[in-house]
């Protein structure tokens, strides 16, 4: 009996990402303008900074740059979260990391669905930051129960998409034809619907509790609320947005400008005011809702636990030092002060590597191949990675950070929900509760980076015919 020909989840993820981008471009025309601006800036950077271009070519990042996207959705129930996990599994995406946003005044906790192996990421680096509303944080018992009832009554997945998920789980894959159908059906979960599921009065009550609660509860599904392209220079994009008729938020979230970027920097334009039809409005009448916005990101080096601890310490010190300093109207001064606060974090790849602050991918150089060939293919002895680096036989490039920063995510959310949206939820992180709703454990992102780094070291060892020890 022949094995059925299944379409690769990586291929499906690429198709889904393109379909999502096409849909969002139709729904939010400014997104298309944003893509054009990011394309212009990226082309300029590649032309003017040959070292950046060379690094992207060495790592293969250049091949995924134009298709790099991440989306974000907000779900309302454990069923929706568990089912979206199954849906994303068909696309080769797994839940990575746990993010608690309640300490920043946003009543959700989250994970990021993405591919986990570097080869799959090169094929399609599509990610979806997925948040679950924490209904228990709604203070008003009657409103909390009403929100629960509304969410229990909705179905955000099409019957055919659920059937194809079950088929994938049962048979281990989908045929190319079924894969195409799945992409079409899965896309419906993320589509914008202007018809609300609540009355104008109910919407206002949810909105007054927190604008994000209204966004989750009052609609037929978790419309994609932003789709984010990757830029090579977010400062240039930020400066260029007004010239395209796009008003950016005051400051860029994340680390300051650096010669060698780390982690993730993000900016956005204000959320759109969109027409909404509430259930109690007469025909032709329209209310409004504000939630969907445009976002841009610049990704830098993935940090080790040691590097992340240093980053978090400097971030906390920066927030204390800049507390009360108005970013609005003082963006340049604000970012300069932020840079001063982060001066302790070395802006040199060699130092970052020697101090164990970041993860890297290792490559055998032409000189290394020549030396290995000269020594003979049967050679097998222990070698020191640092010595090979110093000899020019192996070079390294930082691993790109594939994940998110909770403080930055909350900052983006807040800038588009309005200043009065923030609430004091304290620090009520509950990863165990999130994982129960998810139906699985989230994956530790640091372990993924360490595995990728070690695989690159093992590849170097095979090419050079030596034994190389893991770094950590």
């Amino acid at each position: 009996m022949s094995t059925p020909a299944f379409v690769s989840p990586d291929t499906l993820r690429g198709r889904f990402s393109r379909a999502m981008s096409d849909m969002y471009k139709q729904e939010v025309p400014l997104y298309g303008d944003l893509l054009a601006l990011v394309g212009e800036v990226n082309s300029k950077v590649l032309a003017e900074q040959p070292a950046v271009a060379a690094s992207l070519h060495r790592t293969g990042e250049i091949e995924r740059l134009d298709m790099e996207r991440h989306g974000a959705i907000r779900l309302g129930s454990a069923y929706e979260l568990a089912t979206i996990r199954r849906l994303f599994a068909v696309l080769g995406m797994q839940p990575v990391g746990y993010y608690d946003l309640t300490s920043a005044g946003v009543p959700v906790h989250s994970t990021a669905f993405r591919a986990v192996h570097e080869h799959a990421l090169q094929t399609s680096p599509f990610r979806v930051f997925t948040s679950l509303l924490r209904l228990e944080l709604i203070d008003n018992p009657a409103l909390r129960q009403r929100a629960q009832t509304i969410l229990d009554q909705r179905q955000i997945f099409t019957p055919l998409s659920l059937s194809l998920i079950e088929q994938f789980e049962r048979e281990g894959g989908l045929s190319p034809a079924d894969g195409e159908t799945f992409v079409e059906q899965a896309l419906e979960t993320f589509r914008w619907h202007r018809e609300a599921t609540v009355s104008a009065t109910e919407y206002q009550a949810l909105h007054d509790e927190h604008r994000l609660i209204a966004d989750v509860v009052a609609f037929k599904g978790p419309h994609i609320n932003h789709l984010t392209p990757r830029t090579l220079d977010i400062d240039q994009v930020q400066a260029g947005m007004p010239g395209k008729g796009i008003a950016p938020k005051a400051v860029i979230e994340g680390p300051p400008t650096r010669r060698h970027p780390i982690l993730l920097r993000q900016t956005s334009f204000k959320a759109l005011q969109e027409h909404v039809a509430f259930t109690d409005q007469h025909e032709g009448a329209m209310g409004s809702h504000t939630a969907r916005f445009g976002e841009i990101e610049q990704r830098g080096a993935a940090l080790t636990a040691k590097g992340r601890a240093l980053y978090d310490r400097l971030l906390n010190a920066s927030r204390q030092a800049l507390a009360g300093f108005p970013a609005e109207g003082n963006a340049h001064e604000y970012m300069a002060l932020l840079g001063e606060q982060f001066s302790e974090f070395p802006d040199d790849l060699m130092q970052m590597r020697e101090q164990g602050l970041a993860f890297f991918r290792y490559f055998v150089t032409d000189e290394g191949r020549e030396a290995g060939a000269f020594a003979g293919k049967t050679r097998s002895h222990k070698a020191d990675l640092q010595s090979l680096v110093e000899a020019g036989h192996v070079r390294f490039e930082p691993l790109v950070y594939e994940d998110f920063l909770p403080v930055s995510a909350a900052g983006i959310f807040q800038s588009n929900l309005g200043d009065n949206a923030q609430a004091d939820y304290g620090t009520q992180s509950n990863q165990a509760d999130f994982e129960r709703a998810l139906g699985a454990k989230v994956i530790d992102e640091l372990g993924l980076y360490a595995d990728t780094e070690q695989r690159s070291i093992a590849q170097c060892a095979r090419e050079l015919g030596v034994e190389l020890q893991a770094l950590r």
Side-chain angles (χ1 to χ4, degrees):
M1 184 175 179
S2 62
T3 303
F6 294 140
V7 63
S8 163
D10 294 341
T11 299
L12 285 182
R13 185 172 64 258
R15 291 175 184 170
F16 184 80
S17 176
R18 289 190 293 273
M20 179 83 81
S21 186
D22 290 342
M23 180 185 76
Y24 199 65
K25 195 180 299 183
Q26 292 180 346
E27 293 182 349
V28 183
L30 271 180
Y31 167 68
D33 298 336
L34 203 61
L35 288 183
L37 175 59
V38 168
E40 292 172 11
V41 169
N42 287 351
S43 295
K44 183 179 179 183
V45 171
L46 292 172
E48 296 178 353
Q49 300 183 39
V52 171
S55 175
L56 291 170
H57 280 285
R58 278 192 296 268
T59 61
E61 293 291 307
I62 193 71
E63 298 171 5
R64 58 182 260 190
L65 181 62
D66 289 342
M67 62 179 174
E68 192 107 16
R69 298 284 186 277
H70 95 248
I73 58 171
R74 303 154 184 167
L75 304 174
S77 69
Y79 164 77
E80 291 177 356
L81 181 65
T83 307
I84 208 76
R85 173 182 57 80
R86 297 168 60 210
L87 183 152
F88 284 136
V90 181
L91 303 175
M93 301 163 71
Q94 300 183 47
V96 178
Y98 172 78
Y99 305 90
D100 172 37
L101 274 62
T102 57
S103 60
V106 183
V108 301
H109 46 184
S110 316
T111 191
F113 287 94
R114 67 172 178 87
V116 298
H117 193 285
E118 58 271 21
H119 292 161
L121 286 163
Q122 292 297 88
T123 301
S124 174
F126 183 60
R127 318 166 185 83
V128 180
F129 190 81
T130 303
S131 300
L132 176 64
L133 177 64
R134 297 184 63 179
L135 284 172
E136 76 274 13
L137 297 179
I138 299 178
D139 290 331
N140 184 324
L143 185 65
R144 183 169 61 245
Q145 182 56 53
R146 179 57 182 150
Q148 183 71 68
T149 299
I150 294 168
L151 291 169
D152 288 344
Q153 291 174 344
R154 77 177 186 180
Q155 172 57 272
I156 68 173
F157 306 99
T158 70
L160 186 49
S161 69
L162 292 172
S163 176
L164 288 170
I165 290 171
E166 292 172 358
Q167 180 179 322
F168 173 87
E169 294 171 341
R170 183 175 61 251
E171 300 179 5
L174 296 176
S175 69
D178 286 339
E180 289 288 350
T181 301
F182 177 77
V183 167
E184 294 171 0
Q185 292 294 310
L187 199 63
E188 293 304 309
T189 295
F190 304 88
R191 192 179 297 281
W192 167 251
H193 299 280
R194 67 170 53 186
E195 299 82 11
T197 57
V198 299
S199 68
T201 301
E202 288 175 322
Y203 174 85
Q204 193 60 50
L206 294 166
H207 182 279
D208 290 347
E209 181 74 17
H210 196 292
R211 289 174 64 175
L212 185 140
I213 295 174
D215 184 59
V216 175
V217 176
F219 296 91
K220 294 181 178 180
H223 39 261
I224 195 82
N225 58 64
H226 64 268
L227 203 56
T228 306
R230 176 182 172 188
T231 181
L232 299 175
D233 191 332
I234 200 167
D235 296 288
Q236 284 195 46
V237 173
Q238 178 89 342
M241 286 168 71
K244 299 290 185 179
I246 305 171
K249 68 187 299 294
V251 296
I252 296 168
E253 298 286 346
T257 304
R258 290 166 50 91
R259 187 162 55 95
H260 297 290
I262 57 173
L263 296 174
L264 179 67
R265 304 183 71 207
Q266 296 171 290
T267 190
S268 67
F269 62 72
K270 289 291 186 180
L272 308 175
Q273 188 174 72
E274 301 182 269
H275 292 303
V276 173
F278 296 111
T279 57
D280 60 341
Q281 289 179 322
H282 60 80
E283 187 175 351
M286 282 285 175
S288 66
H289 176 67
T290 305
R292 300 194 301 164
F293 56 93
E295 183 181 82
I296 314 96
E297 65 185 18
Q298 180 176 1
R299 293 188 171 270
L303 301 185
T304 62
K306 180 181 178 182
R308 185 58 185 269
L310 175 58
Y311 171 81
D312 288 342
R313 177 169 65 80
L314 295 176
L315 178 64
N316 290 333
S318 299
R319 297 179 75 187
Q320 293 176 10
L322 295 173
F325 185 90
E328 195 75 39
N330 299 277
H332 181 75
E333 293 85 351
Y334 183 92
M335 296 307 295
L337 290 171
L338 183 65
E340 292 176 10
Q341 292 293 319
F342 268 83
S343 60
E344 185 180 339
F345 203 112
D347 195 2
D348 177 86
L349 293 182
M350 185 67 77
Q351 291 181 40
M352 289 166 62
R353 177 181 172 275
E354 291 174 349
Q355 295 179 33
L357 300 176
F359 292 102
F360 293 88
R361 181 179 286 126
Y362 293 85
F363 306 86
V364 174
T365 63
D366 291 339
E367 292 82 358
R369 291 188 183 88
E370 291 175 5
F374 182 77
K377 294 293 184 182
T378 60
R379 158 172 82 111
S380 181
H381 63 271
K382 291 184 178 180
D384 176 68
L385 183 60
Q386 180 62 26
S387 298
L388 292 172
V389 170
E390 292 173 355
H393 293 174
V394 170
R395 70 177 305 142
F396 57 88
E397 299 283 353
L399 284 181
V400 66
Y401 185 63
E402 306 285 354
D403 298 290
F404 298 91
L405 301 172
V407 173
S408 296
I412 292 287
F413 279 16
Q414 291 293 357
S415 69
N416 288 286
L417 291 169
D419 295 336
N420 62 347
Q422 185 161 345
D424 182 10
Y425 297 111
T427 54
Q428 303 183 47
S429 179
N430 196 336
Q431 182 171 343
D433 187 58
F434 182 86
E435 290 178 333
R436 278 192 293 273
L438 180 69
K441 295 285 188 180
V442 298
I443 299 171
D444 173 29
E445 63 270 25
L446 293 182
L448 296 177
Y449 296 121
D451 289 345
T452 297
E453 183 179 72
Q454 183 52 35
R455 280 192 288 268
S456 74
I457 294 173
Q459 179 61 31
C460 289
R462 286 191 292 271
E463 291 185 35
L464 294 173
V466 299
E467 293 182 24
L468 291 173
Q469 301 301 313
L471 290 182
R472 286 169 266 278

